[in-house]
Amino acid sequence: MVKSPEITPVGFRPPGDERLAVEVMFIAELQKRAPAGHFASLQRADFYRLIGISSGHTCPMVDFSDYPAQTMDWLLIRPGQVMRNDFSKPWTGWLLVFRPDGLYGSSTGNIAGMPNLQRHVEDLVCLHSLQADQHQWMTHSLNQMLADSAPGADAALRNDMLLLQLASTLLRLTLWQVPQSSLLPSKNSALVQFKRFGHRLELDFSRQHQVQHYARALGMSDKSLGRVCMAAAGLPAKACIAQCITLEARRLLAHTTLTVQAIAYELGFEEATNFGKFFRRQTGVTPLAFRIAHSPSAA
């Protein structure tokens, strides 16, 4: 990914024990760690952020969408997404951050013998509006994680305990989000395959634009991948690939000063003209027109 000066890259560097893959803090503690200008800037992190609102209102921007959030709302921001915090009005809450490799493991692909955990996390939406008892459970969970992360016990033991609590917390969100009627075997099977496709797409979209590449990587035919995409997203596989490329193009056009030619190259296009035709076909406007419409002076 491009690291431009307009989008601040944020890495997972907890000030406490760096051996832990999870960190919990109050929002007030987060605000003490950097000047206000840092939180007003566009940021792209290499870790997950789960934000819970305890009181007040906030409206962060995540990938061109504003998410008005109030008390008992929880937001999940994924690695690679472009985000701008909103502290224009006072609010309090929680922040839980965790590394993708801490969640999924570097060798087994899961933690605590839960091979479906990654799929469940990928199914989570950005904004969750919880009931009072659900919000209370989340608050208690993060309180416990905060206490358990305190120095004292063996770091490896604390890390394992935090990962189990993290998995429980994320699975609770999944349980509250997904209606049981939607968990039909046929639908569930397509979603599993579609999430595998989405994960591979996130890794390869800047280099590979062909359906055949992803079908082969997933061990299926082009037609099978197409059926999976239609069942899970209502779109052909080619359209899903185009959506992913277009989102990254919008990020780079709106939030960086990279030339259109540089963006085209970053996204795997040999010629800027080909990128321009692709972008206009997907959005209805040229890359330059999109950039002008989303420049600070246009706000």
Side-chain angles (χ1 to χ4, degrees):
M1 295 296 178
V2 170
K3 293 184 178 180
S4 92
E6 293 80 16
I7 302 177
T8 303
V10 182
F12 187 85
R13 293 183 293 273
D17 195 330
E18 294 187 359
R19 293 171 293 181
L20 302 182
V22 181
E23 185 177 19
V24 183
M25 73 190 81
F26 294 107
I27 290 296
E29 171 63 25
L30 173 69
Q31 290 181 276
K32 294 178 182 177
R33 295 188 179 182
H38 171 78
F39 299 109
S41 66
L42 292 162
Q43 298 178 2
R44 177 180 242 165
D46 61 4
F47 51 84
Y48 286 90
R49 287 171 280 192
L50 180 63
I51 301 170
I53 317 301
S54 299
S55 66
H57 297 76
T58 184
C59 188
M61 184 280 290
V62 182
D63 276 343
F64 300 96
S65 295
D66 293 328
Y67 288 90
Q70 57 186 343
T71 305
M72 298 191 294
D73 285 347
W74 291 75
L75 297 113
L76 180 67
I77 295 91
R78 304 173 187 280
Q81 289 189 307
V82 174
M83 176 196 183
R84 179 185 285 116
N85 289 282
D86 173 33
F87 291 112
S88 58
K89 297 179 181 178
W91 60 279
T92 64
W94 288 91
L95 174 65
L96 168 63
V97 298
F98 55 97
R99 301 195 307 258
D101 62 334
L103 179 64
Y104 306 138
S106 57
S107 58
T108 61
N110 65 88
I111 62 175
M114 290 181 283
N116 292 324
L117 181 59
Q118 179 175 359
R119 174 173 62 84
H120 291 314
V121 174
E122 290 174 347
D123 283 342
L124 289 170
V125 298
C126 182
L127 179 62
H128 302 260
S129 296
L130 302 185
Q131 303 296 320
D133 60 330
Q134 296 170 343
H135 178 73
Q136 184 178 9
W137 190 95
M138 292 288 291
T139 300
H140 174 77
S141 178
L142 266 64
N143 258 313
Q144 188 62 58
M145 293 174 71
L146 181 60
D148 291 339
S149 63
D154 176 75
L157 177 60
R158 282 186 288 139
N159 196 54
D160 287 344
M161 184 163 54
L162 287 169
L163 288 173
L164 284 171
Q165 292 167 328
L166 171 65
S168 175
T169 301
L170 296 172
L171 290 173
R172 285 276 182 177
L173 279 179
T174 302
L175 206 66
W176 294 328
Q177 170 185 293
V178 182
Q180 293 301 308
S181 60
S182 69
L183 299 178
L184 300 175
S186 58
K187 180 74 171 180
N188 196 41
S189 176
L191 285 173
V192 170
Q193 297 297 331
F194 184 71
K195 292 303 178 182
R196 288 181 61 221
F197 168 55
H199 179 65
R200 187 74 191 207
L201 185 56
E202 284 294 325
L203 295 174
D204 295 352
F205 76 88
S206 63
R207 302 183 304 276
Q208 297 287 346
H209 299 174
Q210 302 301 316
V211 173
Q212 186 180 48
H213 165 80
Y214 297 97
R216 287 181 176 177
L218 297 173
M220 62 177 69
S221 68
D222 296 8
K223 289 184 178 179
S224 295
L225 179 57
R227 285 193 292 268
V228 164
C229 292
M230 289 300 298
L235 293 171
K238 184 176 181 180
C240 293
I241 297 170
Q243 277 191 346
C244 187
I245 298 169
T246 303
L247 174 58
E248 183 66 9
R250 293 172 69 206
R251 289 168 175 161
L252 297 177
L253 287 166
H255 304 318
T256 78
T257 55
L258 290 170
T259 65
V260 171
Q261 184 174 1
I263 293 173
Y265 177 77
E266 175 68 18
L267 296 178
F269 292 88
E270 294 183 359
E271 300 289 341
T273 53
N274 292 336
F275 167 65
K277 292 176 183 178
F278 165 85
F279 189 84
R280 184 164 189 168
R281 187 165 60 247
Q282 295 299 312
T283 65
V285 297
T286 66
L288 182 58
F290 181 87
R291 167 165 278 172
I292 293 172
H294 289 80
S295 66
S297 60

